[in-house]
Amino acid sequence: MRVTNMSEAIRFHFDVDGENFSSAGEASVMVKKKLRQLGFSPDVMRRVSIAMYEGEINMVIHAHGGTADVIVGEDAIEIILADKGPGIPDINKAMQEGFSTASDNIRALGFGAGMGLPNMKKYTDYMQIDTEIGVGTTITMRVNY
Amino acid sequence: MHLSDFSQAVSLKHLCGPTADDFDGVYVGDLLSRAMSHIQAGNLWITIMNNINVVAVASLTEAAAVILAENVSLTPDVFEAANEKGIAIYSSCESAYDLCVSIAKSADEHQ
Ligand SMILES: Nc1ncnc2c1ncn2[C@@H]1O[C@H](COP(=O)(O)OP(=O)(O)O)[C@@H](O)[C@H]1O
Ligand SMILES: [Mg+2]
């Protein structure tokens, strides 16, 4: 984790390992700890945790890992998840509750409920998906506080 | 509610992490996305999912403790992660349903 403290914002940067399920969720756990130290309310921590965890897991199970940046701004927490995975062919379909392309192996671990993207949308105030087939996906989310 | 109120009835076994007693409400489920968005802080989480991701979800949701139903066991990596993150994990031979019945019964008795 890299922490940069500029005058206007605190930034956290994480590399999310795509090979290793045992570290999946690690960045989210770390961010939650930081937000608690910064005195954020349980509600804000909960929303950031859910959104970031789902995004982090998606990068691990669908995109061979990526990076996560969290920026604590003046009135919002911004989460940017970027990967060089396969991209999302049909965003509308991917956003539907229950839609998942996860393999049986992944499902056996408890993932693949098809609730990740819908929950990321539901628990944040802003979400944008930029994706290109064969190039990667960047998801930007904001939780206002 | 307290684990100690029904621990004997379900042969609760402490596997790793700190010991826990107090909890407030129960969540039952194995799909991690569902668990992640439905477990409330202080809940007891009953599941048969025993991989390392249970530790991250329990930590993020601030579950009071995890009970692995049906005598599900843990691998050493999960053991280690739970100890490190301070997640209390127990196991019981009972099914999730029977655990809930025992918890409900003990809640009635201790009202
Ligand atoms: N970062 C990503 N890269 C490529 N595909 C993704 C990514 N995130 C999500 N997807 C696609 O969108 C689908 C729905 O995602 P989600 O709602 O999180 O459900 P789940 O992860 O349980 O499959 C996934 O099954 C996958 O096909
Ligand atoms: Mg997902």
Side-chain angles (χ1 to χ4, degrees), chain A residues 21-22 24-26 28-29 32 36 45-46 49-50 53-54 57 107-111 113 115-116 119 123, chain B residues 30-34 36-41 49 51-57 59-62 77 84-85:
Chain A
F21 278 110
S22 64
E26 202 70 8
S28 309
V29 170
K32 177 159 192 189
R36 181 178 292 114
M45 288 194 294
R46 177 179 169 78
S49 292
I50 293 172
Y53 178 75
E54 292 292 358
I57 293 300
R107 282 171 206 266
L109 293 173
F111 299 118
M115 296 296 295
N119 276 346
Y123 288 97
Chain B
D30 309 313
L31 286 176
L32 297 175
S33 283
R34 294 248 166 212
M36 184 66 211
S37 57
H38 286 99
I39 296 172
Q40 304 293 323
M49 204 47 81
N51 66 69
I52 189 119
N53 300 288
V54 166
V55 175
V57 171
S59 166
L60 284 167
T61 54
E62 295 175 39
D77 57 322
E84 190 197 319
K85 297 229 161 62

Side-chain angles (χ1 to χ4, degrees), chain A residues 58 61-63 83 86-88 94 99-102 112-118 137:
Chain A
N58 278 354
I61 66 179
H62 303 301
D83 67 61
I88 304 175
F99 177 84
S100 175
T101 58
M115 296 296 295
L117 290 174
T137 301

Side-chain angles (χ1 to χ4, degrees), chain A residues 8-141:
Chain A
E8 79 283 7
I10 302 170
R11 293 181 74 110
F12 305 107
H13 175 85
F14 304 89
D15 292 313
V16 177
D17 188 353
E19 304 305 311
N20 186 356
F21 278 110
S22 64
S23 60
E26 202 70 8
S28 309
V29 170
M30 205 94 94
V31 164
K32 177 159 192 189
K33 207 153 122 193
K34 294 289 169 195
L35 294 182
R36 181 178 292 114
Q37 286 166 2
L38 291 167
F40 280 97
S41 72
D43 176 63
V44 168
M45 288 194 294
R46 177 179 169 78
R47 293 168 61 208
V48 169
S49 292
I50 293 172
M52 183 165 169
Y53 178 75
E54 292 292 358
E56 194 185 341
I57 293 300
N58 278 354
M59 290 200 299
V60 175
I61 66 179
H62 303 301
H64 324 295
T67 58
D69 284 276
V70 177
I71 301 143
V72 181
E74 238 169 60
D75 48 17
I77 296 165
E78 189 166 74
I79 305 156
I80 304 165
L81 303 161
D83 67 61
K84 296 186 167 65
I88 304 175
D90 185 339
I91 292 181
N92 285 333
K93 216 160 151 186
M95 287 299 300
Q96 282 170 16
E97 285 190 12
F99 177 84
S100 175
T101 58
S103 66
D104 287 345
N105 285 348
I106 296 290
R107 282 171 206 266
L109 293 173
F111 299 118
M115 296 296 295
L117 290 174
N119 276 346
M120 288 155 75
K121 173 108 187 136
K122 180 172 163 192
Y123 288 97
T124 57
D125 296 295
Y126 170 90
M127 172 169 153
Q128 185 183 316
I129 304 176
D130 296 299
T131 188
E132 200 179 327
I133 300 302
V135 178
T137 301
T138 299
I139 299 187
T140 306
M141 297 178 283

